[in-house]
Amino acid sequence: MSRKSLVLVSVLVVGVLLAVSLYDTFDPNVDLKDKRVIVCGASTGIGEQIAYLYARAGARLVLVSRRLQVLQQVQAKCRDLGAAQVEVFAGDLSFKNTSKGVIEYSEEKLGGFDHLILNHVIGYYTVWSSKSDLDYATKVVEVDLLSYIYLTTYSLPALERSHGSVVAVSSAVGLSPLALTHVYSASKFGLHGFFGSLRQDLMIQKSNVSISLVALGLFGTDNTKANTKDKLPDVLKMYGDPADAAYAIARTATLRLRQCNYPYAETKLLQWVHSLFPSLVDGVMVHLFQDRLPHLYEGQTPYGLNTYNS
């Protein structure tokens, strides 16, 4: 392809993306009103902002988290913001019975549900070594991957009745692996594999359930900032606003999008560069982190189980 043709194609792509971004039919105050929604990981961070966005529109909510006291504070604020109904469910989603309980409780309280937002997560952000905590790594996979499978499976009959949507919140490192993310990255890659296959299985069965993935960049939640501040180089500390991520997730659920990468440039650029120049990405990671190695060994279980957002 000539340089002139390449420029022309690039302009057309940018033009199409700009037109799509300007012609956004999503209005949260209208589209989210009276929706029945399960929000997992709702006690802090992005999940908390998702709850508030739906609450402002008058939605009916079941908020799910492991920490009841914090969850009740979010519940109270959702009521103040105008939610039509707000219920809470506290439990450890790494257990199948807890995941099943969430769905049964939501059907009982809401009479069904329209959106299942899977946003709960624990991270493992440290250099991998022979001293890495394998028990904690197992917990990461149970929460960040297996519980998403459990919750989705148990929810399918209710979502079939409501023509509902599942949104699985992934990450840029679920598209392209980066240093220090190992088990977390593996779990996020697993989401794309499972939900991509599930979408096809549902299409084969002529199901009306929508399956969406949202791959997020780095957002400035309290947990993320606290657990990366001494490990990330300053050049990588480009934290986004959690409220913006919440908007992208709710929009994806409403419009039944196949996948949303947000911010688009950050997540897709990383994926493209890693696909085309994997050795370059490896070299950049070594350059950014090698001098920080002593700090990266600090605490082989960097996200304590008392802080994870699930």
Side-chain angles (χ1 to χ4, degrees):
M1 182 181 291
S2 68
R3 178 173 296 183
K4 184 177 180 180
S5 299
L6 186 61
V7 171
L8 179 59
V9 170
S10 300
V11 170
L12 288 173
V13 170
V14 171
V16 169
L17 292 175
L18 181 60
V20 170
S21 66
L22 292 175
Y23 185 70
D24 190 344
T25 60
F26 177 59
D27 182 347
N29 293 325
V30 175
D31 294 327
L32 304 184
K33 184 175 176 58
D34 296 325
K35 289 296 184 186
R36 301 165 300 170
V37 187
I38 302 173
V39 183
C40 296
S43 62
T44 59
I46 293 170
E48 180 183 2
Q49 294 302 318
I50 294 170
Y52 296 156
L53 182 63
Y54 277 97
R56 291 187 190 97
R60 300 167 60 197
L61 304 169
V62 171
L63 308 180
V64 184
S65 173
R66 195 177 56 88
R67 297 173 292 166
L68 179 59
Q69 186 175 2
V70 181
L71 196 58
Q72 289 171 331
Q73 295 171 1
V74 177
Q75 179 187 33
K77 185 168 181 179
C78 284
R79 286 172 174 161
D80 291 341
L81 290 170
Q85 180 181 357
V86 193
E87 309 292 342
V88 297
F89 186 103
D92 186 338
L93 292 174
S94 64
F95 297 105
K96 278 188 286 188
N97 286 340
T98 305
S99 296
K100 186 176 183 180
V102 168
I103 302 305
E104 292 175 343
Y105 179 81
S106 300
E107 288 199 81
E108 175 189 345
K109 293 297 184 179
L110 302 181
F113 46 92
D114 304 296
H115 295 172
L116 173 62
I117 309 296
L118 302 174
N119 169 73
H120 53 291
V121 65
I122 53 177
Y124 196 162
Y125 193 83
T126 184
V127 69
W128 192 266
S129 74
S130 61
K131 298 179 181 179
S132 294
D133 187 337
L134 296 178
D135 290 333
Y136 187 81
T138 299
K139 191 72 173 180
V140 172
V141 175
E142 289 172 344
V143 173
D144 293 2
L145 174 59
L146 293 180
S147 71
Y148 281 50
I149 297 173
Y150 303 154
L151 286 158
T152 300
T153 302
Y154 292 131
S155 74
L156 286 176
L159 289 170
E160 191 70 45
R161 290 190 293 270
S162 67
H163 293 220
S165 300
V166 180
V167 178
V169 179
S170 182
S171 165
V173 298
L175 304 172
S176 306
L178 292 179
L180 280 69
T181 61
H182 35 73
V183 178
Y184 175 75
S185 177
S187 297
K188 293 302 186 182
F189 264 89
L191 292 182
H192 288 266
F194 174 77
F195 284 101
S197 176
L198 174 62
R199 182 188 295 109
Q200 295 174 9
D201 290 348
L202 294 176
M203 292 171 68
I204 291 169
Q205 300 171 74
K206 300 186 183 301
S207 170
N208 53 43
V209 178
S210 172
I211 301 295
S212 302
L213 283 149
V214 179
L216 296 177
L218 190 63
F219 283 85
T221 65
D222 291 341
N223 282 347
T224 297
K225 287 182 177 180
N227 290 288
T228 61
K229 65 178 182 179
D230 295 327
K231 295 181 178 181
L232 277 184
D234 289 341
V235 70
L236 295 182
K237 292 179 182 177
M238 299 178 291
Y239 300 116
D241 186 341
D244 292 338
Y247 181 93
I249 291 164
R251 178 180 180 274
T252 298
T254 302
L255 301 182
R256 300 167 72 89
L257 303 179
R258 180 187 184 90
Q259 182 164 321
C260 170
N261 297 335
Y262 188 81
Y264 185 83
E266 177 183 332
T267 53
K268 290 302 290 185
L269 180 61
L270 174 62
Q271 185 180 17
W272 290 337
V273 172
H274 192 275
S275 298
L276 295 172
F277 309 106
S279 296
L280 174 63
V281 176
D282 292 346
V284 170
M285 291 297 102
V286 171
H287 175 74
L288 290 175
F289 288 104
Q290 196 163 49
D291 291 342
R292 309 174 67 85
L293 193 57
H295 297 288
L296 304 182
Y297 280 121
E298 292 173 1
Q300 288 291 307
T301 306
Y303 283 74
L305 287 178
N306 62 332
T307 62
Y308 76 81
N309 180 30
S310 75

